[in-house]
Amino acid sequence: MYSRIAGTGRFLPEKVLTNKDLEKMVETSDEWIRERTGIQERHIASDGETTLDLCEKAARNAIEMAGIEPADIDMIIVGTTTPDLVFPNMGVLLQDRLGIHGCMAMGIEAACTGFIYALSIADKFIKTGNAKRALVVGAETLSRIIDWSDRTTCVLFGDGAGAVILEASEEPGVISTHLHADGKYKDLLYFPSGVSRGFADLKSGTDFVQMKGNEVFKVAVTTLGRIVEETLEANDMSADEIDWLIPHQANIRIIEGTARKLKMPMERVIVTIHEHGNTSAASVPMALDVAVREGRVQRGQTLLLEAFGGGFTWGSALIRF
Ligand code: COA
């Protein structure tokens, strides 16, 4: 038994924040942001628009493409770092929004790797016969935890949600997934507050994403190079058998680094960072949905998905679409 992607969906908040807009907020330039990151604009959730709102729209989009009803879903898993509530978890809140009741529902926090972790977990439930049809979502409103006066972080991130319907199939589907984490890097990219440790006084200026960008960049390039190699080796495949690389959209230079490692031309890499920015757990499923709806990713093609995020966490999924 395998799991296969039956439908994809995405939702981006209406409000767009361009590099030009950011020039008015911090000491930066459109040219600097484009050259160093590849980002031109990002979407930002409006006041009162939450991660759950984004999740619901992306999920309904994927449900529609899969041609199923919400009631056909027997597992919901949402990867996010920016949930609406501490609990109930985002899977449960999304289940209620979709008007279905009783199926297992969970949230998973693995920063930017959240969707890959969620997909891998859902795949295992389906492969072992414990679920037949899973709704897997990656969604974020990272804009809520960014210091908008810190030019070293605020230019990078955006909001959005991406979703897939994963269903049981006799043919692959998800061929393999590979998950990793290494907590020794916990101080390079993190959010400093939490329920148990307590929230900092907002005026102290520390209750925001903290990042040592330069160091994150170096580890990301080498780690993603390794994970794509690990994935190919595990399946005895070479890079030219991959039709599309669908990477986490953090920085165009990191994406190009991974493509170079695979000797893959950029024409076979899905890039959405210019319009989406880094949307953390939402980035890979949104890039997948863009490529599917534009007709670039076709049924039967082989896709390599990868992501890297705070923790560090990182992972990949090899998929026959
Ligand atoms: N606009 C203009 N200048 C900026 C700037 C901005 N938005 N942000 C930083 N700078 C300045 C720095 O202050 C520094 O100035 P200095 O040389 O006078 O000290 C200079 O630009 C170079 O900074 P540096 O941090 O070395 O740049 P970089 O080439 O490493 O690019 C990042 C910075 C953040 C874009 C890059 O390191 C990166 O993308 N890292 C990975 C981050 C990431 O992906 N995080 C999420 C992982 S999932």
Side-chain angles (χ1 to χ4, degrees):
M1 184 61 75
Y2 294 95
S3 73
R4 66 178 276 276
I5 294 176
T8 64
R10 74 178 185 281
F11 181 76
L12 285 151
E14 205 178 307
K15 185 176 155 196
V16 172
L17 186 72
T18 65
N19 291 350
K20 287 276 172 210
D21 295 329
L22 279 163
E23 283 179 357
K24 295 177 204 132
M25 296 160 63
V26 287
E27 208 183 317
T28 190
S29 68
D30 175 44
E31 192 191 357
W32 191 97
I33 303 170
R34 278 177 199 247
E35 271 179 14
R36 302 286 180 123
T37 72
I39 302 168
Q40 294 170 23
E41 58 186 40
R42 68 290 287 144
H43 292 247
I44 303 292
S46 57
D47 290 347
E49 187 176 37
T50 70
T51 300
L52 182 59
D53 298 323
L54 276 47
C55 280
E56 182 187 352
K57 287 173 177 143
R60 290 197 185 277
N61 220 217
I63 288 167
E64 193 187 349
M65 188 193 283
I68 62 163
E69 295 297 324
D72 299 326
I73 293 163
D74 58 5
M75 174 179 193
I76 301 176
I77 178 161
V78 178
T80 187
T81 313
T82 47
D84 281 40
L85 304 175
V86 173
F87 74 90
N89 75 62
M90 287 295 286
V92 173
L93 297 178
L94 181 56
Q95 185 206 57
D96 183 54
R97 278 283 182 94
L98 294 174
I100 52 177
H101 305 280
C103 73
M104 71 179 121
M106 61 185 97
I108 168 99
E109 198 281 283
C112 300
T113 321
F115 175 77
I116 301 282
Y117 265 67
L119 184 81
S120 178
I121 294 166
D123 172 56
K124 262 114 192 138
F125 270 86
I126 291 175
K127 273 188 178 140
T128 53
N130 290 288
K132 284 198 166 54
R133 201 170 275 121
L135 167 60
V136 185
V137 185
E140 303 282 6
T141 46
L142 269 189
S143 62
R144 302 268 152 79
I145 54 169
I146 297 297
D147 179 356
W148 288 99
S149 65
D150 172 12
R151 69 175 184 176
T152 67
T153 50
C154 77
V155 301
L156 301 175
F157 299 100
D159 300 334
V164 303
I165 298 293
L166 210 58
E167 66 181 17
S169 159
E170 280 171 16
E171 305 282 321
V174 177
I175 300 167
S176 70
T177 59
H178 306 263
L179 303 181
H180 295 280
D182 192 340
K184 81 169 180 248
Y185 296 110
K186 64 184 185 304
D187 297 330
L188 294 187
L189 177 56
Y190 64 101
F191 183 73
S193 302
V195 177
S196 190
R197 202 154 125 177
F199 287 88
D201 174 357
L202 281 177
K203 286 186 192 133
S204 73
T206 57
D207 244 353
F208 300 111
V209 169
Q210 308 287 318
M211 183 179 75
K212 296 196 175 81
N214 235 319
E215 292 174 53
V216 174
F217 187 94
K218 285 182 220 147
V219 186
V221 170
T222 46
T223 306
L224 288 169
R226 274 207 317 271
I227 189 88
V228 293
E229 272 181 356
E230 175 190 328
T231 313
L232 292 175
E233 272 170 34
N235 293 286
D236 202 15
M237 283 176 77
S238 62
D240 44 326
E241 292 173 80
I242 305 295
D243 293 298
W244 295 101
L245 174 66
I246 307 185
H248 173 46
Q249 312 283 320
N251 184 314
I252 190 67
R253 293 182 292 142
I254 298 177
I255 296 173
E256 286 167 352
T258 312
R260 256 198 311 277
K261 183 96 190 168
L262 287 169
K263 297 193 178 66
M264 259 178 109
M266 286 303 286
E267 292 73 47
R268 278 164 51 210
V269 182
I270 303 299
V271 176
T272 54
I273 189 162
H274 52 296
E275 290 177 344
H276 295 178
N278 181 349
T279 58
S280 186
S283 105
V284 171
M286 287 209 294
L288 171 66
D289 185 60
V290 166
V292 169
R293 286 177 195 267
E294 285 179 356
R296 283 188 280 165
V297 164
Q298 302 272 340
R299 284 284 170 206
Q301 287 186 327
T302 305
L303 320 179
L304 178 51
L305 280 49
E306 46 87 336
F308 176 90
F312 291 136
T313 57
W314 63 100
S316 66
L318 187 72
I319 293 173
R320 181 123 333 113
F321 186 66

